[in-house]
Amino acid sequence: MWGQIMSNGHLPRSLPKPEPKTQVSKYPSSVDFEPLSMKRVDPVGDYWITANTCKMGTFSFQITASQLNDIQSKINGPSFESLSAIIWHSLAKIRPGSEPRVITVCRNGSNSRKNGYSVNHQIFGIVKAEFSIMDSNPSELAALIVDQTVNETGQIERMMEKDQGLSDFIVYGANLTFLDLEEAELYGLELKGKKPVFANYTADGIGDEGAVLVLPGPSTGRIVTVILPEDQVLQLRTELEKEWFVV
């Protein structure tokens, strides 16, 4: 939108109407427990970023189209689920005794954009594994993400209503969190007839369990941005390079 304004000098004539409230009927109307995809934190006041118990580190790497095809053929799953599975499996190896058996998966809903405007319609899901992640096959993990993700969006909405905005919570990093941003229009910006050669996202305020963002690459591959406790960053890079020849 900023690129369009810079190109033609005009502001949008009108803003989109507020989204109607999402009705989710598959969950009970009362909330007696907090959704697993969120974590209550100490009040943050006006800072809007919770304090971590450890120093966090960030790194990004590119998955080429050929690498992505190779990974998908081995995992036998969609691109986002396949990439999430290999990182989930690799992290379990470097977290002995505390492997993440519950993860959060965040996706954009079908109405995430209307008339060129972004709409707050994110879907939060939980995936639970009843088996050892380290001893499993990544293809099992990908299938689990595809078939066993439990949508907690309705529970979160009701929890916020019940709490009336009096408490602070985090979602990203409350569990190991995977964000599906494959459809984000990172390369739609155009200035003076030129488009970006590279674009990326990152995030602050990620909880200690970490987050993984899967984004479109500059061609047909993917960019993966990982935010983890700093002491796990190098270990994960080493594991991914050894097992999957990436990063």
Side-chain angles (χ1 to χ4, degrees):
M1 186 183 296
W2 172 62
Q4 292 171 6
I5 293 171
M6 292 292 291
S7 297
N8 59 38
H10 298 296
L11 290 169
R13 292 184 178 181
S14 62
L15 292 174
K17 295 180 179 179
E19 281 287 288
K21 183 171 178 60
T22 303
Q23 299 295 326
V24 183
S25 59
K26 65 180 289 187
Y27 300 108
S29 58
S30 62
V31 178
D32 297 322
F33 56 90
E34 293 180 5
L36 293 176
S37 53
M38 60 192 288
K39 177 183 177 183
R40 191 184 297 267
V41 296
D42 293 334
V44 297
D46 294 331
Y47 292 103
W48 285 88
I49 295 179
T50 186
N52 294 95
T53 61
C54 57
K55 188 174 182 180
M56 304 297 283
T58 301
F59 76 97
S60 297
F61 59 94
Q62 183 173 356
I63 303 288
T64 66
S66 60
Q67 286 175 321
L68 185 60
N69 289 335
D70 184 54
I71 290 170
Q72 286 188 258
S73 66
K74 292 177 180 177
I75 303 298
N76 193 28
S79 55
F80 169 74
E81 287 79 358
S82 297
L83 293 172
S84 299
I86 67 171
I87 294 175
W88 187 7
H89 188 255
S90 297
L91 275 173
K93 291 184 177 181
I94 67 175
R95 294 181 180 179
S98 59
E99 61 176 20
R101 294 198 181 187
V102 177
I103 65 168
T104 301
V105 176
C106 302
R107 305 176 189 270
N108 283 330
S110 58
N111 297 321
S112 59
R113 292 188 70 84
K114 281 194 174 182
N115 301 321
Y117 295 94
S118 294
V119 178
N120 186 12
H121 192 73
Q122 200 166 21
I123 297 172
F124 300 95
I126 281 291
V127 182
K128 285 184 180 181
E130 303 295 340
F131 49 81
S132 169
I133 305 301
M134 185 173 63
D135 296 334
S136 67
N137 189 303
S139 60
E140 296 178 76
L141 301 179
L144 200 65
I145 297 172
V146 171
D147 299 327
Q148 301 296 326
T149 300
V150 177
N151 186 347
E152 289 196 335
T153 310
Q155 288 173 274
I156 292 176
E157 290 176 353
R158 287 192 294 275
M159 187 71 194
M160 295 300 97
E161 288 180 359
K162 181 180 179 181
D163 189 72
Q164 298 181 338
L166 299 177
S167 301
D168 291 325
F169 300 85
I170 59 169
V171 174
Y172 297 169
N175 306 302
L176 176 61
T177 305
F178 293 91
L179 282 74
D180 182 356
L181 298 170
E182 290 186 315
E183 301 301 321
E185 296 181 24
L186 269 68
Y187 296 90
L189 173 66
E190 184 172 330
L191 293 174
K192 296 183 178 180
K194 296 186 179 296
K195 292 188 176 184
V197 294
F198 178 79
N200 196 8
Y201 285 165
T202 187
D204 291 322
I206 301 296
D208 294 342
E209 291 299 313
V212 178
L213 288 65
V214 179
L215 305 126
S219 55
T220 55
R222 299 290 184 272
I223 298 294
V224 180
T225 296
V226 181
I227 306 164
L228 288 173
E230 197 172 51
D231 63 344
Q232 298 176 15
V233 168
L234 182 58
Q235 296 179 69
L236 178 61
R237 295 187 71 143
T238 301
E239 188 66 34
L240 288 172
E241 185 174 13
K242 179 179 70 175
E243 293 293 329
W244 299 96
F245 306 104
V246 297
V247 310

